[in-house]
Amino acid sequence: SSIGSITIPINNITVTAVQSENGMVRVGSHHSHLPMSLSHGKLHVYQKGKSMLIQSNFKLKVFYNWDNHVMKLPAALPGKVCGMCRNNRDLWDDAFPPDGKQVWDTVEFGWS
């Protein structure tokens, strides 16, 4: 499996990284090259090696690796994230798709 794209809404801005668009992101419907600063410097998007790093002014950091298709989020915001990003140390509450209804089938979760 792979993560074909990630979409991150922050500060009324939507940033999307797509697997086939290495070194670029979509901000809204516009394609942009990295690096970039958005929302009056509150949001920075960099290319760091073979990964994209989105960093916000409230210490959120999201990495997306175009080669390995991996996303990881440092545990700096306990209780503020959900799903695969983890909102605590409990492994049993991670399977929440965008509709907010927990699923127990990994294939169903992956498709969501």
Side-chain angles (χ1 to χ4, degrees), residues 19 37 45 71 78 94 103:
Q19 178 181 352
S37 179
V45 187
M71 181 179 83
D94 289 344
V103 295

Side-chain angles (χ1 to χ4, degrees), residues 53-69:
L53 166 62
I54 295 178
Q55 189 169 6
S56 76
N57 63 327
F58 54 89
K59 299 185 182 178
L60 173 70
K61 291 182 182 179
V62 177
F63 294 90
Y64 178 71
N65 184 303
W66 284 286
D67 283 347
N68 297 323
H69 323 299

Side-chain angles (χ1 to χ4, degrees), residues 1-26:
S1 68
S2 66
I3 299 172
S5 68
I6 60 169
T7 300
I8 302 155
I10 301 174
N11 295 333
N12 296 320
I13 297 171
T14 301
V15 177
T16 301
V18 178
Q19 178 181 352
S20 62
E21 299 173 353
N22 191 325
M24 296 183 71
V25 294
R26 298 176 188 180

Side-chain angles (χ1 to χ4, degrees), residues 56 58-61 73-81 86-88:
S56 76
F58 54 89
K59 299 185 182 178
L60 173 70
K61 291 182 182 179
L73 174 72
L77 299 169
K80 305 276 187 203
V81 296
R86 306 286 309 273
N87 60 345
N88 56 38

